Amino acid sequence: MAEIYKYAKRYRSQIVAALDANPTTKRTQLQHKFEQVIALMEDNIYECCSEA
C-alpha cells in the first residue's frame, strides 16, 4: 500500500489531469475520490509518524 501511495503522490497532478479529461471518470467523480484517498493516506502516515 505504501508503494501505491508513493506512486500516486509522485504522479498526482498527472493522474488528476487524466481523470478530469476522461468523460467516464469525470461523470463518476473519480478525481474527487482519488483526492479523498490521498488525503486519508496522508493523515494515516502523519499519525503513524507522530506515534513513533
Side-chain angles (χ1 to χ4, degrees), residues 24-25 37 40 45 52:
T24 302
T25 59
V37 169
L40 287 171
I45 289 172

Side-chain angles (χ1 to χ4, degrees), residues 23-48:
T24 302
T25 59
K26 198 171 193 173
R27 187 173 2 107
T28 58
Q29 298 180 337
L30 199 54
Q31 175 199 355
H32 178 68
K33 294 172 185 174
F34 173 76
E35 292 286 354
Q36 287 179 320
V37 169
I38 294 296
L40 287 171
M41 291 186 78
E42 287 173 346
D43 286 344
N44 287 340
I45 289 172
Y46 178 76
E47 289 174 12
C48 291

Side-chain angles (χ1 to χ4, degrees), residues 1-3 6 9-12 15 17 22-25 28-29 32 34 36 38 42-44 49-51:
M1 195 64 151
E3 289 298 317
K6 286 180 196 177
K9 189 166 172 88
R10 179 179 297 153
Y11 298 105
R12 183 182 204 160
I15 294 170
N22 184 306
T24 302
T25 59
T28 58
Q29 298 180 337
H32 178 68
F34 173 76
Q36 287 179 320
I38 294 296
E42 287 173 346
D43 286 344
N44 287 340
C49 293
S50 66
E51 292 176 3

Side-chain angles (χ1 to χ4, degrees), residues 5-21:
Y5 170 72
K6 286 180 196 177
Y7 179 85
K9 189 166 172 88
R10 179 179 297 153
Y11 298 105
R12 183 182 204 160
S13 60
Q14 294 95 325
I15 294 170
V16 168
L19 292 173
D20 194 40

